[in-house]
Amino acid sequence: MESILHSLESTRSDDLVDLGFINNLKCNDSFLAFSNALRRFVANSNIISASSATHAAFAASNDAVREDTASWLYDVCSQITNSPLPTQSLASAVLSAITGSGGDETKLQSSLFDTLGESEEGMSALFEIMQKSSDILSYVTENDLRNVAEMHGDVTVASNDASNNANALHEENLTRLRAQAYEAVGLATTLRTDFESTTTSSRRATHSVSRASDKAAEKAYKKALKQASSAFNEAKKAGALTESDVIYLQSNLPNNKGDAANEAMVLRNEEAFNMQMARGLAGMNTQQINDMKNHLLPSGTKEYTDMNKGLPKGTEREVKEGYEKVVIPAPILDKTKLPARINLDEVMGSDSDERHAFAGTTSLNPMQSTVFDAAYNTRENLLICAPTGAGKTNVAMLTVVSHLRDVGLIGESFYNNEGPVNTGKKIVYIAPMKALAQEVVEKFSSKLKGLGIIVRELTGDMQLSRAEAEAAHILVTTPEKWDVVTRKGGDGSLGSTCGLLIIDEVHLLADERGAVIESVVARLHRWVESSQRQVRLIGLSATLPNYEDVATFLRVDKRKGLFFFGPEHRPVPLQQTFIGVTAHTKDRFKREKKMDDVCYEIVSDALRHWHQVMVFVHSRKGTGTTAKALAERAAMNGELERLFIGDEGEDDVRTKYIERAEKSRNRELTEHFRNGMGIHHAGMLRNDRRLTEQMFNDGAIKVLCCTATLAWGINLPAHTVIIKGTDVYMPEKGTNVDLSILDVQQIFGRAGRPQFDTSGDATLITSHDAMARYLDKLVRSTPIESNFIKQLADHMNAEVVGGTVTNIQEAIEWLRYTYLHVRMCRNPLAYGVGASQLETDPTLRGRCEELITEAARLLDERKMVRYNQQSGNLAVTNFGRVASHFYIRNQSVATFNEMIGKRKSPTDADLCHIMCCADEFENIRVRAEELDEVDRIKKETCPIKTLAPVEEFSGKCNVLLQAYISRARVNSFTLISDTNYIASNAGRVARALFEMCLKNGRASAALKFLRLAKSIDHRIWWFQSPLRHFESELKKNVYVALEDQKVASEDGYSTLDRAISLLDMEPNEVGQLCHCFRDGELIQKF
């Protein structure tokens, strides 16, 4: 270091370029000596960036460059033929967008996108203008554009009225002055930065600098400063600047007190700076030292990132033993700006059918009042983004009664007074989960039953016959179920009868299931265009950062149908707390223990204030362990009886649930109920989940430990909500990932009960590193992206089967209807689009063709589609048709093709194994604590050999499937949940395999898959007696006696023949054969 400093002090400025040590020098213990030497070196040299000379030439640019740039901009705008604006007005709008962006490239790109549109011509112009935006800002004015328009004979015709003409000229003059002020201040700021860098860049040099004239740079800077001050004062005096303009320009203008003052200030700064450089760090004040340190921070470090962060006003940070706490206060809503509450009797009439749907509600809240006219009096597509609990369900009800009125099912008036609307009469409500679908059915049925409106649930748990589905006026379903229904399209299909489609929780687009929503909406838009029938689309969502993109995807008019309400519109103000545990960061178990301690502090504090608490964890096992940890800490502190259970006299509500809780098969539920707590997760039986929900809702339990599925399911709020830990296991990646910010916001939305609380508290407990990430995501809202690429092949196959896509070009057009295409245009880098590809293909048609071609080749390889690479045609195959109708993934089809092809004469064991290897079952996790019970079930209840070990998902699925058919008793509740999931999907997969084998000419395998599918449906093996259907009516020894022979003989299975042969016997012979002498006649009857 000493030799480097000595050589630095003795080196001439001309030789700086040759010094290679500056790039590699590390500032550590000798930082002060290095800085002093570097300052003395700069003070005695004549170094200046070569860019100063460039800007001097820029300041003296001639009129020819100005005219050429204006002409270029005019020509680019003239190529956009589908713009509603004249060319001159469009060019002026582009100039205003560039001027108003303030140098923010992201803001400029968004403004230009809104101005130029999303057509191919508009996107091409956008990227060309982005590259020359700095030149346009520096050279072009409104007057230049007007002159170019006159040369082209395309001047906008002014009004004949003299006063209007004068006003127009005045407005143009103000615009010109404003643009000149921005232009001059921008130039001065740029030259100031470069001028100052000539004396300061060497102390933080990361690259070599070149020689130039100090005097030329100083002269250019002073001249630009003088022009900027003059332009600013002139524009301000004429009233061309708004208050925000003045603030922005003043903050960027070095000094605007006059030319003499400017020159004097520059000279004083130069003298002071030279003196400070001679004295090194000793001559710098605290602010200057901090500025220098900030410049030295690497851009990837936390300190550098924190400089630009801005948490909401009033945020408090507190460091405690073992953790750091950040409290963000609830946002304040200015109630004076809210619209007046709409009285429903006044707008609907007190006795109208529409009013009966809102029985018990006298008026709408401010959010609903804002949306009322668009929802009730128009047929516009809508996107409503509002916090949880803001009343979006009532907005949906407004659109429902409006549609029922418009199609003539209720009421006597129509929104356009021209009779019923020519559209489908059916309403479809898509809920994200089955539990939420059930809640919506109950709510809508109670409100509309008096009007004769039938509301039915159409999910995997609730199958409807075709007649029942057609008779229903409102169908409440899930995205996957409606996707299956609409795949089988055509005139007269259920999908073609839909006139209003409501999609709840649209922000699930960011989830893996979001691809299904994209497919459903894209199919709907294409069907509307081809059939020329109107279908209204309503999207309900939590607050979204990029809600305009979602509106574009849903074809919502942003001026009429887009409504965004921030977190301040929550009916209950929400205070958010983020806690980052700093202790034991490397020891997972000690860190978990600290999280439990912090969690108990928050829970106990809430209970002292008589508030209920929900604690969200991320595994089924975690619900029980967390409840147990809370109970142990409460018992140690002597607070279990007082806080969690309650004193005598307060347990009246608990009394009515004691018997039901004690009778539950779930021992954990019973144990935790005794401690005043409950657990809730998908692994519990539905009756146990409902019991827990009722107990918490009635106040019989005060603390509920649950998984995130409850946040997306039924509406069960609490005053205090806690998220304990943010590590979520991702099976696809085989590791833990952060809980998504959307899930955090959804869970936080459960805090605060509108009918009881005036405030809500939500707390996130995580590691200190993760806390910083979540705070960053909270401040810098990350747009939701599309997951459609992962499932592109499956959804494309469905379109090919449906006949809506027959070649590559049609598939590209279909892809342009998806949210994927919207986001690719907005954020191309996230979807593998490079800068060069974006420049040559602004509309990304080439990238769409790459994705479609790749998917077509994959489907062709797996025999689901036939793809002709020369013509680009796509033809459906039997396998593709089966996969589409039975909702089978292409990975499963590939597995089936490979495994079935290897076996010429597959046995029943082979076919069970093939079915359990389906990709649909890959999410079945193998848990160490379950292996003993799985082994027991395998030995006791599996009549067919399992070909895979139970440690693999296929082996576990095989065992549980056979246990389900055999009606075996399963004790573990996680295994019960897995068994139910397997049973709900196995029948569909078995029938798909039956169809595939039948189409492929494999009759033997087809027959075996068919009887396996029937066994799953009836829960009876094909080799068992059909009399097992009457297990509840007959004694066990009846069908045991009939099956008390070898299951299969050389001639095949004979139990059915034996059961039929009983009809040829006398009743006493039947009784004797079945070891049930008195019931021979009854057996024959069955």
Side-chain angles (χ1 to χ4, degrees):
M1 172 63 81
E2 292 178 358
S3 63
I4 290 174
L5 293 175
H6 183 268
S7 62
L8 178 60
E9 293 179 0
S10 60
T11 303
R12 293 180 297 109
S13 59
D14 301 85
D15 298 328
L16 179 60
V17 178
D18 298 328
L19 292 178
F21 64 87
I22 291 183
N23 283 328
N24 302 315
L25 189 59
K26 304 295 182 182
C27 299
N28 42 38
D29 298 334
S30 302
F31 176 81
L32 183 60
F34 165 72
S35 180
N36 286 331
L38 195 56
R39 288 180 177 279
R40 287 194 295 273
F41 172 70
V42 173
N44 297 326
S45 62
N46 295 319
I47 303 172
I48 186 168
S49 173
S51 60
S52 298
T54 303
H55 284 291
F58 174 78
S61 60
N62 55 35
D63 294 337
V65 177
R66 180 187 300 272
E67 183 178 344
D68 290 343
T69 308
S71 298
W72 176 87
L73 177 60
Y74 185 89
D75 291 340
V76 170
C77 293
S78 66
Q79 296 172 6
I80 305 175
T81 57
N82 59 349
S83 174
L85 297 175
T87 302
Q88 181 188 346
S89 301
L90 183 61
S92 298
V94 170
L95 180 60
S96 299
I98 295 173
T99 305
S101 66
D104 187 338
E105 187 173 341
T106 303
K107 181 178 179 182
L108 173 58
Q109 184 174 347
S110 179
S111 300
L112 289 177
F113 183 82
D114 295 334
T115 302
L116 300 173
E118 59 182 6
S119 66
E120 186 172 350
E121 297 168 346
M123 294 298 295
S124 178
L126 185 147
F127 290 109
E128 291 184 38
I129 292 172
M130 283 290 295
Q131 293 177 356
K132 300 193 68 172
S133 59
S134 58
D135 292 343
I136 296 172
L137 181 63
S138 301
Y139 294 113
V140 181
T141 65
E142 288 285 348
N143 191 43
D144 297 326
L145 293 176
R146 189 162 48 252
N147 292 337
V148 174
E150 289 178 358
M151 292 171 58
H152 288 77
D154 187 31
V155 183
T156 304
V157 179
S159 172
N160 292 328
D161 186 77
S163 61
N164 289 342
N165 191 28
N167 290 336
L169 291 174
H170 178 65
E171 289 295 331
E172 290 180 1
N173 184 50
L174 293 181
T175 304
R176 178 181 58 80
L177 290 174
R178 180 176 180 271
Q180 289 178 348
Y182 268 94
E183 178 184 352
V185 172
L187 176 60
T189 303
T190 304
L191 292 177
R192 177 189 62 181
T193 303
D194 286 328
F195 174 66
E196 291 177 350
S197 69
T198 63
T199 54
T200 60
S201 62
S202 58
R203 63 184 161 172
R204 50 184 171 84
T206 58
H207 59 277
S208 300
V209 294
S210 56
R211 296 291 305 275
S213 171
D214 285 344
K215 292 184 178 180
E218 183 180 353
K219 183 178 179 181
Y221 169 51
K222 289 181 178 180
K223 182 178 179 181
L225 186 61
K226 182 178 180 180
Q227 292 175 346
S229 299
S230 177
F232 172 78
N233 292 329
E234 184 180 358
K236 184 178 179 182
K237 184 177 180 180
L241 302 178
T242 64
E243 184 177 350
S244 60
D245 288 334
V246 172
I247 295 173
Y248 174 79
L249 292 174
Q250 281 181 334
S251 64
N252 285 276
L253 190 64
N255 195 310
N256 59 355
K257 295 182 180 180
D259 299 336
N262 288 335
E263 294 182 9
M265 172 173 281
V266 171
L267 292 174
R268 287 197 303 271
N269 289 342
E270 288 177 357
E271 294 175 0
F273 191 70
N274 288 332
M275 291 178 62
Q276 290 170 357
M277 286 193 299
R279 290 166 19 197
L281 288 177
M284 300 171 65
N285 57 33
T286 304
Q287 181 63 39
Q288 290 170 328
I289 294 175
N290 289 334
D291 289 342
M292 182 187 66
K293 288 181 179 180
N294 289 337
H295 284 305
L296 291 171
L297 290 173
S299 61
T301 60
K302 179 178 182 295
E303 292 83 359
Y304 178 85
T305 306
D306 285 343
M307 290 193 304
N308 299 319
K309 285 187 178 180
L311 291 170
K313 186 177 180 180
T315 299
E316 298 178 357
R317 286 182 180 266
E318 185 179 359
V319 178
K320 294 191 174 183
E321 184 180 353
Y323 65 89
E324 181 181 1
K325 181 178 180 181
V326 177
V327 181
I328 302 176
I332 300 175
L333 178 64
D334 187 357
K335 296 184 178 181
T336 60
K337 297 181 180 179
L338 294 176
R341 298 176 69 99
I342 290 180
N343 187 291
L344 291 175
D345 287 339
E346 295 178 1
V347 294
M348 293 183 177
S350 57
D351 295 327
S352 66
D353 289 345
E354 296 91 328
R355 183 66 182 88
H356 286 308
F358 292 89
T361 303
T362 57
S363 62
L364 301 177
N365 66 27
M367 186 277 285
Q368 297 161 354
S369 300
T370 303
V371 181
F372 174 80
D373 188 59
Y376 187 73
N377 294 324
T378 73
R379 291 197 61 81
E380 290 284 339
N381 289 353
L382 301 180
L383 174 60
I384 315 297
C385 299
T388 302
K392 296 190 290 293
T393 305
N394 265 358
V395 174
M397 181 60 74
L398 283 174
T399 63
V400 167
V401 297
S402 171
H403 179 79
L404 295 174
R405 174 202 65 198
D406 293 342
V407 298
L409 289 175
I410 64 172
E412 299 177 356
S413 61
F414 310 99
Y415 87 101
N416 57 2
N417 296 321
E418 296 179 1
V421 178
N422 181 24
T423 184
K425 291 188 176 183
K426 201 174 298 297
I427 298 171
V428 177
Y429 189 108
I430 297 180
M433 299 180 69
K434 296 175 186 177
L436 190 57
Q438 295 162 5
E439 183 180 344
V440 171
V441 169
E442 294 174 2
K443 185 176 296 185
F444 278 26
S445 296
S446 64
K447 290 179 177 293
L448 299 172
K449 187 177 181 180
L451 300 175
I453 302 301
I454 302 173
V455 184
R456 301 298 297 266
E457 177 187 347
L458 179 62
T459 62
D461 292 345
M462 189 66 64
Q463 297 291 340
L464 299 179
S465 66
R466 184 175 182 84
E468 290 174 330
E470 290 177 349
H473 300 105
I474 302 176
L475 290 176
V476 184
T477 183
T478 56
E480 291 79 8
K481 191 66 177 180
W482 191 244
D483 188 19
V484 172
V485 170
T486 54
R487 285 182 179 188
K488 304 171 183 178
D491 293 335
S493 65
L494 198 59
S496 64
T497 62
C498 174
L500 172 64
L501 179 64
I502 302 173
I503 304 178
D504 199 0
E505 311 288 6
V506 177
H507 51 278
L508 278 174
L509 283 168
D511 190 70
E512 287 188 2
R513 299 174 64 204
V516 183
I517 298 177
E518 290 191 51
S519 180
V520 167
V521 173
R523 189 176 299 132
L524 174 66
H525 287 324
R526 298 190 77 206
W527 183 83
V528 167
E529 291 184 0
S530 62
S531 65
Q532 292 299 299
R533 295 185 63 184
Q534 184 188 25
V535 179
R536 192 181 190 190
L537 183 58
I538 308 296
L540 306 177
S541 169
T543 51
L544 291 171
N546 57 329
Y547 53 89
E548 291 186 350
D549 292 340
V550 179
T552 301
F553 163 62
L554 297 177
R555 301 293 177 90
V556 172
D557 188 328
K558 297 177 184 177
R559 296 169 299 173
K560 300 178 182 178
L562 177 57
F563 296 89
F564 178 82
F565 302 91
E568 67 276 5
H569 286 271
R570 276 182 56 90
V572 179
L574 176 65
Q575 176 178 285
Q576 303 176 69
T577 304
F578 293 81
I579 294 178
V581 174
T582 56
H584 314 296
T585 54
K586 293 184 179 180
D587 191 323
R588 174 172 166 265
F589 295 101
K590 290 183 179 179
R591 186 175 69 246
E592 290 287 341
K593 184 176 181 297
K594 184 62 179 179
M595 286 186 180
D596 286 333
D597 293 339
V598 175
C599 182
Y600 177 75
E601 291 180 16
I602 302 169
V603 170
S604 59
D605 182 65
L607 293 178
R608 291 188 188 96
H609 292 85
W610 305 97
H611 296 316
Q612 285 183 299
V613 185
M614 295 176 74
V615 182
F616 285 87
V617 294
H618 311 298
S619 67
R620 298 169 181 178
K621 184 179 179 182
T623 58
T625 55
T626 298
K628 187 176 180 180
L630 293 174
E632 290 174 351
R633 283 162 176 75
M636 289 175 58
N637 295 330
E639 297 178 325
L640 184 61
E641 289 283 342
R642 181 171 60 88
L643 295 181
F644 288 78
I645 301 175
D647 299 329
E648 293 185 4
E650 298 179 0
D651 57 351
D652 295 337
V653 179
R654 283 176 51 84
T655 303
K656 71 176 184 178
Y657 287 107
I658 291 178
E659 184 178 354
R660 294 175 61 185
E662 293 291 336
K663 286 183 178 180
S664 173
R665 285 179 56 196
N666 192 329
R667 291 296 92 197
E668 278 191 307
L669 186 150
T670 305
E671 176 186 345
H672 296 309
F673 174 78
R674 295 168 183 165
N675 295 328
M677 291 183 283
I679 59 173
H680 189 290
H681 56 76
M684 298 169 61
L685 298 177
R686 176 176 287 192
N687 290 337
D688 288 337
R689 293 201 304 268
R690 286 185 174 176
L691 174 62
T692 301
E693 293 161 8
Q694 292 171 2
M695 291 191 298
F696 188 77
N697 199 42
D698 292 345
I701 53 178
K702 299 179 181 179
V703 180
L704 180 60
C705 299
C706 51
T707 56
T709 52
L710 189 61
W712 292 99
I714 65 167
N715 184 20
L716 192 68
H719 178 276
T720 302
V721 165
I722 302 169
I723 302 176
K724 187 174 80 76
T726 56
D727 288 340
V728 180
Y729 182 75
M730 182 71 70
E732 295 81 6
K733 297 182 179 179
T735 184
N736 289 329
V737 297
D738 280 345
L739 180 70
S740 73
I741 190 67
L742 277 177
D743 282 324
V744 172
Q745 292 172 342
Q746 186 73 19
I747 294 172
F748 276 13
R750 294 301 184 195
R753 300 169 299 170
Q755 63 271 44
F756 301 111
D757 297 330
T758 57
S759 64
D761 291 320
T763 302
L764 175 73
I765 305 174
T766 183
S767 65
H768 193 264
D769 292 341
M771 183 188 75
R773 293 195 295 271
Y774 281 105
L775 289 175
D776 183 65
K777 292 176 183 177
L778 190 70
V779 174
R780 306 181 185 188
S781 300
T782 305
I784 63 171
E785 301 293 349
S786 170
N787 281 295
F788 196 68
I789 291 179
K790 298 178 182 178
Q791 302 178 31
L792 175 59
D794 289 324
H795 292 291
M796 178 177 161
N797 175 64
E799 299 303 320
V800 174
V801 173
T804 58
V805 169
T806 60
N807 54 54
I808 293 295
Q809 296 306 316
E810 289 181 357
I812 294 172
E813 288 302 317
W814 160 72
L815 192 63
R816 291 165 68 90
Y817 284 82
T818 62
Y819 182 66
L820 168 64
H821 186 261
V822 175
R823 284 306 301 165
M824 275 203 304
C825 292
R826 289 283 193 175
N827 186 19
L829 290 177
Y831 300 92
V833 180
S836 59
Q837 183 178 0
L838 185 63
E839 188 174 339
T840 57
D841 183 20
T843 61
L844 301 181
R845 188 177 183 87
R847 177 56 177 162
C848 291
E849 185 172 359
E850 291 176 8
L851 294 172
I852 291 296
T853 304
E854 183 181 349
R857 287 172 178 163
L858 178 67
L859 293 173
D860 183 67
E861 176 187 335
R862 293 175 175 177
K863 302 178 183 179
M864 298 172 68
V865 161
R866 281 290 167 255
Y867 169 45
N868 188 318
Q869 298 190 25
Q870 284 73 28
S871 64
N873 291 335
L874 300 169
V876 65
T877 66
N878 289 328
F879 285 177
R881 186 177 287 107
V882 170
S884 174
H885 288 173
F886 289 95
Y887 221 72
I888 303 296
R889 302 174 188 173
N890 67 85
Q891 296 95 326
S892 296
V893 175
T895 302
F896 298 156
N897 286 335
E898 179 184 357
M899 298 183 72
I900 293 177
K902 291 180 179 179
R903 296 168 174 83
K904 291 184 178 180
S905 300
T907 63
D908 292 321
D910 291 331
L911 298 183
C912 280
H913 175 65
I914 291 172
M915 189 183 74
C916 291
C917 288
D919 197 61
E920 280 71 13
F921 302 125
E922 68 170 357
N923 290 330
I924 297 294
R925 293 176 55 190
V926 180
R927 305 174 182 88
E929 64 270 18
E930 299 170 346
L931 290 178
D932 291 340
E933 184 171 1
V934 173
D935 284 331
R936 178 189 64 79
I937 295 172
K938 179 181 177 181
K939 293 177 182 178
E940 295 177 0
T941 63
C942 292
I944 297 177
K945 182 180 179 181
T946 56
L947 301 182
V950 295
E951 289 80 11
E952 297 179 6
F953 82 89
S954 59
K956 178 181 176 180
C957 287
N958 202 333
V959 171
L960 294 182
L961 176 62
Q962 295 192 50
Y964 174 77
I965 298 174
S966 301
R967 306 190 185 192
R969 182 183 180 91
V970 180
N971 296 322
S972 170
F973 288 96
T974 56
L975 286 180
I976 292 175
S977 177
D978 288 343
T979 303
N980 292 335
Y981 174 79
I982 293 168
S984 63
N985 289 279
R988 171 172 58 87
V989 176
R991 276 185 161 73
L993 281 164
F994 159 71
E995 291 282 350
M996 290 174 63
C997 291
L998 191 64
K999 304 288 185 185
N1000 207 27
R1002 303 179 67 93
S1004 175
L1007 176 62
K1008 291 178 180 178
F1009 275 124
L1010 178 60
R1011 67 190 185 193
L1012 178 59
K1014 288 183 173 293
S1015 295
I1016 295 170
D1017 292 342
H1018 299 290
R1019 300 188 69 182
I1020 296 176
W1021 290 105
W1022 59 85
F1023 48 76
Q1024 291 179 326
S1025 173
L1027 290 177
R1028 283 184 177 269
H1029 282 288
F1030 312 104
E1031 276 189 348
S1032 60
E1033 304 290 339
L1034 297 175
K1035 296 178 181 178
K1036 184 177 180 180
N1037 58 323
V1038 173
Y1039 42 83
V1040 168
L1042 292 175
E1043 297 167 358
D1044 192 18
Q1045 289 186 9
K1046 190 176 180 180
V1047 170
S1049 63
E1050 294 180 358
D1051 298 329
Y1053 301 102
S1054 58
T1055 51
L1056 177 60
D1057 294 335
R1058 295 199 65 187
I1060 295 176
S1061 67
L1062 298 179
L1063 297 175
D1064 298 329
M1065 300 182 184
E1066 294 295 329
N1068 59 343
E1069 294 177 332
V1070 173
Q1072 185 177 2
L1073 177 65
C1074 297
H1075 306 294
C1076 190
F1077 299 99
R1078 298 181 181 179
D1079 295 336
E1081 187 173 350
L1082 179 64
I1083 294 170
Q1084 279 188 319
K1085 179 182 177 181
F1086 284 122

